[in-house]
Amino acid sequence: MDDGGIQEEQPSARLLKQTRSGSSRWVDGSEVDSSESAPWSLEDDRPSAEDFSAGVSVGAPSRVSSGGFRRRFGKRPRRVDSLDVESMNVGGAHGHSSKELSLMSTVAMAFQTLGVVYGDMGTSPLYVFSDVFSKVPIKSEIEILGALSLVMYTIALIPFAKYVFIVLKANDNGEGGTFALYSLICRYAKVSLLPNQQRVDEDISSFRLKLPTPELERALYVKDCLEKKPLFKSILLFLVLMGTSMVIGDGILTPSMSVMSAVSGLQGQVPGFGTDAVVIISIIVLVLLFSVQRFGTGKVGFMFAPILALWFLNLGSIGIYNLIRYDISVVKAFNPMYIYYFFNMNGTKAWSALGGCVLCITGAEAMFADLGHFSVKSIQVAFTAVVFPCLLIAYMGQAAYLMKNPLAVERIFYDSVPGSLFWPVFVIATLAAMIASQAMISATFSCIKQAMALGCFPRIKIIHTSKKVMGQIYIPVMNWFLMVMCIIIVATFRSTNDIANAYGIAEVGVMMVSTALVTLVMLLIWQTNLFLVLCFPILFGSVEFLYLTAVLSKILEGGWLPLAFSSLFLCIMYTWNYGSVLKYQSEMRGKISLDFILDLGATLGTVRVPGIGLVYNELVQGIPSMFGQLLVTLPAMHSTIVFVCIKYVPVPYVPLEERFLFRRVGQKDYHMFRSVARYGYKDVRKEDHGFFEQLLVESLEKFLRREAQEIALEASTLEAERDDASVVSEVLQSPAVDGDLQVPLLSDQRLVDDNKMLTAEGSAPLLPTSSMSAEEDPALEYELAALREAMASGFTYLLAHGDVRARKESFFTKKFIINYFYAFLRRNCRAGTATLKVPHSNIMRVGMTYMV
């Protein structure tokens, strides 16, 4: 049994008390939801498989008739020195009420989405028809009407039907994207490969979710399959990493495609402006675009929405102009039979043209990925009222122009613009293309940050460009990497049609990953009717698969490029996650027994000097092996020691008051504590070390006061137990009782008759009327004074300089991945303390080798 076989329990810092009205409240004042079961029910006392795997000694289960009574406070031995249990919560779970936005606020936010969400999709009329008709030559009106009908129904089916009405609802507390779907699934099923989950994480206010029908067998079966079969966990993680890597690959192609399409409008308009000039101007614009990234999007963000609004207005007005002037009969394309005629007349060429048609929905994933900045309703309003009709009218206008000018397919967008409006439209188109590129660059930065937070990407430097908007970030390494790749792509391909061959594969891949994950959400969380669940992947998945087959046919023509980029980032993310999981498992195997620490005594076998030592490690349970190395290496040890674990939980944000969890290690005179600092995957760790230290000490003081309050509560409860012993013994004579009644002290245990509480009227209150003060408890006063004295002496960060190596008996593949690839990534990533900007004089490192 781990840690000397010490009997362990699962304490909670949130205690229940009875109000005069008979309802229950936590001690922090929040109401207990009547629909929730008690944190510890009589049936829950049975040992689970997880208890045995963690080495927890569980007493004999108690069985009591469920309808006879409810227990009040029972007694269980306190084990404050036990560490391999979940830490005690300091902050309460404060719910975040989501206020319904007013109509004007929704309209204003919908206007802002135009500049952030719809830039990529909005600039697609620059190149869609020119790419489609490069595969299918125009021989009659069937080609024009068929291509138009195909584009119209593609936009209506994928962005409008799938994303606007279905996928947007699968958000994680208002956050969207592939990782948001993954974190949502992780909260309902234990599918994370990193074994650092704790039950107390479910008390985070943004974590709690309720199943509509938890008894539904299908949802429970899916949950059971995901949790018990490692293969399914690996497949799910692979899908998420593949979708994220494809978003990054898309971020490399979007700036190249959008900027070059806008600049190419000068060909034919300016004499002597050839392909070389287009390439040079495009490279200059790209260098300018990536150079201003370090200033942050917030400084120019207010310009984005008006420019894109003007762009959509131009698309709609020019489309209406072309419809009226050239051929309004293109409205016949609303008849989907023209799609059949299109394929019937052109065969495999029409199938190949699907690779160009898919360009009309590039950027659709941004509707979901950028959800965290807006609301679901605002994105729905903007697409339905502005984006969708303007795009349909723009494509119909271009089709009307082609009915009279079928040879103008190469420059269809600019040729269809009235001559007097060319230069204003060209300027707006160039700005819109830059904004579309900016949206994908920002999305790439966001994906990298979320991957880092969930342990799937090496730590790299992140700069926060806005003090007000925490989501605006800048990653220098990724920024310059994207710029170099975009310049190489423009200089190599030299044509928008060639880039279009590479464009689209990543986008369709992300869409198919989203379809798979949302289907899983329907089964596991929404518990939708099985027929509707099957309709979703059959309808949308089949369409997306058809487009995927078309774009994959262009691999030799340039489609290999996004696949190569995506494969590179997929290897990096999967290797980092694989190595991190193995390193964590190695730390779990090598953790120190608590008996060893207790045998050393309060001095830990060395000299204790004033100060606070923060021992950083990744374990949420147990004493890390590096602490033994510190005891051997250092001539003295700090008077107060805190084992700090930085942990990311599958929620977007963790409120500041719920950041820290604490638990005591050893007896009081050891002055040792376990702390878990929890962050959401979109939380920003930009606080300096001084702020972090102050917040940690304040939370530790709250923990000490709460602990003293619990001890006083236990004493008063024991007294009340003696008074009620006769009443309890009468009730416990029921035949359903088997063995002694062992119930956690800190739980919802109420003794109730059918009509009244068993607590006598006028008896002492179960909780002190006010929080415990230091003056009332000399031991608490002494410990708080010792903590303040240690804080005044300063903080020291004790870190492990770890080397991860594969065991000698491991396979060659594992040795290569761990000893070379993962080791290379570890050597070149940032240290964890760099995030807090800790001075080097406050850091001490000890060498460790982890055999995995």
Side-chain angles (χ1 to χ4, degrees):
M1 188 177 297
D2 280 349
D3 296 347
I6 294 177
Q7 183 177 351
E8 296 167 351
E9 65 211 20
Q10 294 182 341
S12 171
R14 302 179 70 204
L15 309 181
L16 283 170
K17 62 181 180 179
Q18 295 294 329
T19 62
R20 293 182 181 271
S21 62
S23 62
S24 300
R25 285 182 178 273
W26 297 109
V27 293
D28 60 10
S30 59
E31 289 277 5
V32 179
D33 190 347
S34 60
S35 63
E36 293 180 345
S37 60
W40 283 274
S41 66
L42 291 172
E43 285 79 13
D44 289 339
D45 284 339
R46 299 190 183 116
S48 63
E50 292 180 11
D51 295 327
F52 287 115
S53 64
V56 179
S57 176
V58 184
S62 301
R63 299 179 179 89
V64 182
S65 177
S66 59
F69 65 95
R70 292 187 180 181
R71 295 174 298 174
R72 193 165 49 89
F73 284 99
K75 183 172 74 71
R76 195 178 197 181
R78 290 180 59 84
R79 292 286 184 178
V80 295
D81 58 346
S82 175
L83 181 62
D84 275 341
V85 292
E86 292 158 340
S87 304
M88 301 180 73
N89 197 347
V90 173
H94 304 286
H96 300 280
S97 58
S98 57
K99 297 181 179 179
E100 194 72 24
L101 293 175
S102 63
L103 177 61
M104 291 303 298
S105 299
T106 301
V107 172
M109 190 174 289
F111 177 74
Q112 296 173 12
T113 63
L114 297 177
V116 178
V117 178
Y118 297 112
D120 193 5
M121 194 183 304
T123 55
S124 59
L126 288 170
Y127 43 76
V128 169
F129 276 156
S130 61
D131 189 74
V132 169
F133 291 116
S134 67
K135 308 292 190 302
V136 178
I138 299 177
K139 295 176 290 187
S140 64
E141 68 172 17
I142 296 298
E143 282 77 18
I144 299 175
L145 294 178
L148 175 60
S149 182
L150 197 58
V151 167
M152 291 168 59
Y153 280 100
T154 300
I155 297 176
L157 191 62
I158 303 298
F160 189 58
K162 176 186 171 183
Y163 280 93
V164 170
F165 289 106
I166 300 175
V167 176
L168 285 180
K169 296 181 180 179
N171 61 82
D172 180 18
N173 290 320
E175 298 295 331
T178 309
F179 270 113
L181 285 173
Y182 183 62
S183 71
L184 188 64
I185 295 170
C186 285
R187 296 218 296 280
Y188 280 95
K190 297 178 181 178
V191 295
S192 176
L193 296 180
L194 195 64
N196 65 349
Q197 298 89 3
Q198 294 174 284
R199 192 219 60 80
V200 74
D201 293 334
E202 299 175 13
D203 292 335
I204 299 175
S205 53
S206 55
F207 196 105
R208 291 184 172 182
L209 295 169
K210 294 187 181 298
L211 293 172
T213 53
E215 71 280 357
L216 196 62
E217 293 184 3
R218 187 182 71 241
L220 296 179
Y221 175 76
V222 173
K223 180 177 183 293
D224 189 63
C225 289
L226 288 174
E227 292 181 346
K228 293 186 177 181
K229 297 184 179 179
L231 177 62
F232 289 170
K233 294 182 181 181
S234 300
I235 292 175
L236 182 61
L237 178 64
F238 179 79
L239 281 176
V240 172
L241 296 183
M242 183 174 66
T244 305
S245 61
M246 286 184 173
V247 170
I248 299 173
D250 206 19
I252 295 173
L253 292 175
T254 297
S256 308
M257 184 70 179
S258 299
V259 172
M260 200 169 184
S261 297
V263 175
S264 63
L266 294 175
Q267 282 184 298
Q269 187 70 22
V270 178
F273 196 88
T275 302
D276 292 338
V278 171
V279 171
I280 293 174
I281 297 298
S282 299
I283 291 176
I284 293 175
V285 173
L286 287 171
V287 171
L288 178 64
L289 174 66
F290 284 100
S291 298
V292 300
Q293 291 298 313
R294 61 190 181 93
F295 298 108
T297 57
K299 294 180 176 59
V300 292
F302 69 94
M303 297 175 55
F304 286 6
I307 292 175
L308 262 296
L310 189 59
W311 169 251
F312 281 112
L313 179 63
N314 280 339
L315 288 180
S317 57
I318 293 173
I320 293 174
Y321 169 81
N322 289 329
L323 278 172
I324 296 175
R325 179 175 179 181
Y326 295 104
D327 193 346
I328 200 173
S329 67
V330 294
V331 295
K332 292 185 296 184
F334 279 104
N335 183 357
M337 285 300 296
Y338 281 98
I339 299 177
Y340 169 76
Y341 300 148
F342 179 73
F343 278 92
N344 188 44
M345 289 186 62
N346 297 280
T348 56
K349 290 183 178 180
W351 173 74
S352 177
L354 288 176
C357 179
V358 76
L359 299 179
C360 70
I361 55 174
T362 55
E365 184 68 22
M367 297 167 61
F368 186 47
D370 293 328
L371 181 59
H373 302 286
F374 307 100
S375 66
V376 173
K377 188 174 293 186
S378 64
I379 294 179
Q380 291 173 333
V381 168
F383 187 84
T384 306
V386 178
V387 178
F388 190 37
C390 287
L391 286 178
L392 291 186
I393 293 173
Y395 287 117
M396 291 169 66
Q398 291 184 18
Y401 184 85
L402 287 175
M403 295 287 279
K404 302 296 182 183
N405 305 277
L407 299 179
V409 291
E410 189 174 350
R411 296 181 71 255
I412 174 59
F413 176 79
Y414 285 108
D415 286 350
S416 64
V417 175
S420 58
L421 297 178
F422 173 82
W423 288 107
V425 171
F426 172 76
V427 172
I428 296 174
T430 305
L431 293 175
M434 294 181 65
I435 293 172
S437 304
Q438 175 65 52
M440 285 308 302
I441 294 170
S442 300
T444 302
F445 291 163
S446 179
C447 285
I448 293 294
K449 181 185 179 301
Q450 292 183 23
M452 288 173 56
L454 293 178
C456 298
F457 202 86
R459 293 183 296 269
I460 55 180
K461 185 177 183 180
I462 296 179
I463 298 175
H464 302 275
T465 59
S466 174
K467 294 181 179 180
K468 296 180 179 179
V469 183
M470 304 305 288
Q472 293 184 0
I473 59 176
Y474 167 63
I475 304 179
V477 173
M478 286 302 303
N479 182 70
W480 302 123
F481 174 79
L482 291 176
M483 186 189 76
V484 171
M485 291 297 103
C486 287
I487 291 175
I488 291 176
I489 289 172
V490 170
T492 303
F493 285 87
R494 301 173 62 87
S495 167
T496 56
N497 286 337
D498 291 338
I499 297 178
N501 290 330
Y503 204 31
I505 292 181
E507 185 72 24
V508 177
V510 175
M511 290 179 180
M512 294 194 69
V513 170
S514 296
T515 300
L517 293 179
V518 172
T519 302
L520 187 57
V521 169
M522 287 180 170
L523 285 170
L524 179 65
I525 302 173
W526 291 355
Q527 300 174 2
T528 312
N529 181 274
L530 187 59
F531 173 76
L532 297 177
V533 172
L534 293 176
C535 287
F536 181 77
I538 290 175
L539 176 62
F540 298 110
S542 58
V543 173
E544 291 163 356
F545 180 77
L546 182 63
Y547 277 118
L548 182 65
T549 58
V551 295
L552 286 178
S553 66
K554 301 186 297 182
I555 286 182
L556 298 179
E557 302 173 18
W560 58 268
L561 190 63
L563 293 181
F565 284 131
S566 299
S567 300
L568 172 64
F569 282 98
L570 178 62
C571 289
I572 291 175
M573 289 190 289
Y574 202 87
T575 299
W576 186 261
N577 180 266
Y578 176 66
S580 299
V581 171
L582 291 181
K583 178 177 177 292
Y584 188 91
Q585 292 173 348
S586 176
E587 288 193 76
M588 287 289 291
R589 291 191 300 267
K591 62 185 179 181
I592 299 175
S593 170
L594 186 58
D595 280 350
F596 173 76
I597 300 298
L598 296 177
D599 291 342
L600 294 176
T603 62
L604 298 178
T606 182
V607 180
R608 304 291 291 268
V609 295
I612 297 179
L614 302 181
V615 183
Y616 269 70
N617 66 103
E618 298 181 7
L619 294 181
V620 295
Q621 300 174 346
I623 301 175
S625 56
M626 66 165 288
F627 186 64
Q629 290 290 99
L630 291 171
L631 292 177
V632 174
T633 306
L634 300 181
M637 189 56 65
H638 302 82
S639 58
T640 299
I641 298 173
V642 182
F643 298 98
V644 179
C645 170
I646 304 296
K647 172 186 173 182
Y648 284 91
V649 292
V651 294
Y653 302 98
V654 176
L656 203 61
E657 65 272 15
E658 302 175 16
R659 177 81 68 216
F660 289 99
L661 303 174
F662 279 94
R663 184 161 182 81
R664 186 184 295 277
V665 182
Q667 303 299 328
K668 284 191 174 183
D669 54 349
Y670 280 68
H671 300 291
M672 296 170 61
F673 305 92
R674 152 73 61 195
S675 174
V676 179
R678 303 177 298 180
Y679 291 84
Y681 59 84
K682 297 206 73 173
D683 269 326
V684 177
R685 290 183 57 201
K686 62 177 292 185
E687 64 263 16
D688 57 14
H689 68 98
F691 176 79
F692 180 84
E693 293 163 1
Q694 180 183 1
L695 184 61
L696 185 140
V697 171
E698 289 177 357
S699 300
L700 181 54
E701 287 184 357
K702 292 179 183 178
F703 166 77
L704 293 175
R705 295 181 186 276
R706 181 66 60 83
E707 183 189 50
Q709 182 179 352
E710 290 171 0
I711 294 174
L713 170 65
E714 183 178 13
S716 63
T717 303
L718 290 175
E719 186 66 28
E721 284 290 329
R722 297 190 186 96
D723 297 338
D724 297 338
S726 60
V727 180
V728 174
S729 61
E730 290 177 5
V731 179
L732 291 181
Q733 289 175 359
S734 171
V737 178
D738 182 15
D740 295 332
L741 183 65
Q742 295 187 2
V743 185
L745 170 65
L746 311 177
S747 59
D748 178 11
Q749 297 147 26
R750 291 157 287 181
L751 293 171
V752 215
D753 261 333
D754 290 336
N755 300 318
K756 63 178 183 177
M757 294 290 296
L758 292 178
T759 305
E761 195 72 4
S763 61
L766 293 178
L767 289 176
T769 55
S770 60
S771 61
M772 180 72 63
S773 64
E775 291 75 10
E776 297 173 357
D777 187 350
L780 175 62
E781 181 180 6
Y782 167 77
E783 194 159 18
L784 291 177
L787 178 61
R788 296 187 184 105
E789 180 184 357
M791 181 181 178
S793 300
F795 291 78
T796 302
Y797 291 77
L798 307 173
L799 311 174
H801 185 66
D803 184 21
V804 182
R805 307 290 295 177
R807 298 177 184 271
K808 291 183 179 180
E809 62 272 15
S810 302
F811 290 108
F812 170 77
T813 307
K814 181 178 180 180
K815 288 182 179 179
F816 176 78
I817 294 175
I818 297 298
N819 296 348
Y820 296 98
F821 195 15
Y822 181 68
F824 172 80
L825 295 176
R826 281 181 60 84
R827 285 195 301 268
N828 291 277
C829 72
R830 301 188 86 204
T833 52
T835 307
L836 296 176
K837 301 178 182 178
V838 181
H840 292 287
S841 58
N842 291 12
I843 298 176
M844 298 183 67
R845 299 182 185 273
V846 58
M848 295 288 297
T849 299
Y850 301 98
M851 302 303 297
V852 299

